Amino acid sequence: MPELPDVEVRRRLIQETSLNKEIKKVSVLEKRILGNETTPSILSRELCGSIFLSANRRGKYLLLSTSKKNTLLLHLGMTGDIIFVKKGEEKPKWSRVEFYFANGSCLHYTNMRLIGKVALFKTTNPSSIPDIAKLGPEPLERSFTFKKFEKIVKSHSTTIHQLLMEQELIAGIGNIYSDEIAFQAGVRPDKNTKSLTEEEIRQVYKKMKWVLRVAIELGAELDPYPRRFLIPNRDRKGLCPRDSNKIMKKTIGGRSSYFCPLCQK
DNA sequence: CACTCTGTTAGGTG
DNA sequence: CCACCTAACAGAGT
């Protein structure tokens, strides 16, 4: 489930494993994952012989800058992942693009459903990449203050669930974490932004930061999530971790949202 | 077996 | 501009 915390964890993985190593070969196993202007031959020509200098994240996108002044853009879609494999180790399932390093190790972009993107841009400036330029602010940045959040909330009329997921307003939150934030804030996800009280907006803001930060700290793994999280109970017969009542499922803006009708008002 | 559902987003329609 | 729908794809669940 690649939302902001998941993508951030992948960014750290790349940072720890794949920087400053000579890229020897790029294998594109599935061309359909490539962006419009990107071809296997461009990837080979631009990346072979160069190195990844840095791994950054913007919203749900990964940005790898290279020594030939390119930026590799990765989006994981719904089922994408980043897997680092040492020499001799088995290649992961659904590997779509492979970046082989001189020492035989390999960074794999995997994606079962091919919903996602791998693209190379001839720039070192992320904001010149259209996908990045249109994104809203980073929710975890200190500069994303309550005032700014409140302004976004008050200037749109939609459900809080949809607003949190709107990448052009706030970057990185998807269906799952939107639900978790609404749950932690004690606000029904289908509540309209116009009817939120000042205190509710404050709660959503606070919990947004908290949920994302904690999820990253936990490695964005579902298993050890704190019991007070909604996420592990976010299914058909889930129970509210706060009051053990039945979790309700509702379609909001075309997406399935889960919440506790008792403790989320 | 057939049908429904799924973490995302671009693009089309009315 | 907005709300809503679908496609892209593959697998798990009912």
Side-chain angles (χ1 to χ4, degrees), chain A residues 73-245:
Chain A
L73 180 77
L74 305 174
H75 192 285
L76 300 177
M78 288 170 78
T79 56
D81 205 352
I82 300 292
I83 315 259
F84 179 79
V85 166
K86 290 183 191 149
K87 184 177 185 174
E89 287 181 353
E90 202 178 336
K91 141 185 325 197
K93 220 177 171 188
W94 307 119
S95 182
R96 306 302 196 178
V97 184
E98 306 171 328
F99 305 92
Y100 285 95
F101 300 110
N103 70 357
S105 60
C106 182
L107 189 70
H108 291 263
Y109 172 93
T110 72
N111 202 325
M112 179 182 82
R113 286 176 65 184
L114 293 183
I115 302 172
K117 188 189 232 181
V118 174
L120 193 73
F121 293 87
K122 190 86 203 136
T123 178
T124 53
N125 176 17
S127 52
S128 70
I129 298 171
D131 308 64
I132 302 300
K134 66 185 183 194
L135 293 175
E138 282 294 319
L140 288 179
E141 291 276 305
R142 291 191 86 101
S143 59
F144 189 45
T145 58
F146 173 70
K147 277 242 172 300
K148 291 180 181 167
F149 179 70
E150 185 184 35
K151 192 174 173 190
I152 292 173
V153 171
K154 287 191 167 171
S155 59
H156 292 83
S157 178
T158 180
T159 63
I160 187 64
H161 187 253
Q162 288 169 281
L163 180 124
L164 287 171
M165 287 202 298
E166 191 57 62
Q167 302 304 299
E168 298 177 22
L169 300 181
I170 304 163
I173 299 170
N175 204 31
I176 297 235
Y177 285 100
S178 177
D179 269 0
E180 187 65 51
I181 292 162
F183 175 76
Q184 296 299 336
V187 174
R188 273 181 67 120
D190 57 353
K191 191 156 187 187
N192 191 285
T193 48
K194 292 283 186 196
S195 66
L196 290 173
T197 65
E198 171 95 10
E199 178 54 24
E200 284 171 331
I201 299 172
R202 205 167 277 282
Q203 277 302 310
V204 173
Y205 173 78
K206 190 172 130 193
K207 297 301 182 177
M208 171 182 74
K209 298 239 182 198
W210 182 80
V211 164
L212 296 176
R213 185 173 48 74
V214 170
I216 292 169
E217 279 170 13
L218 294 172
E221 291 294 334
L222 290 174
D223 294 342
Y225 264 116
R227 290 211 158 264
R228 61 184 190 279
F229 265 57
L230 170 71
I231 289 176
N233 309 289
R234 196 179 169 286
D235 61 35
R236 205 160 281 277
K237 30 186 133 125
L239 300 179
C240 172
R242 222 178 265 133
D243 57 27
S244 298
N245 277 291

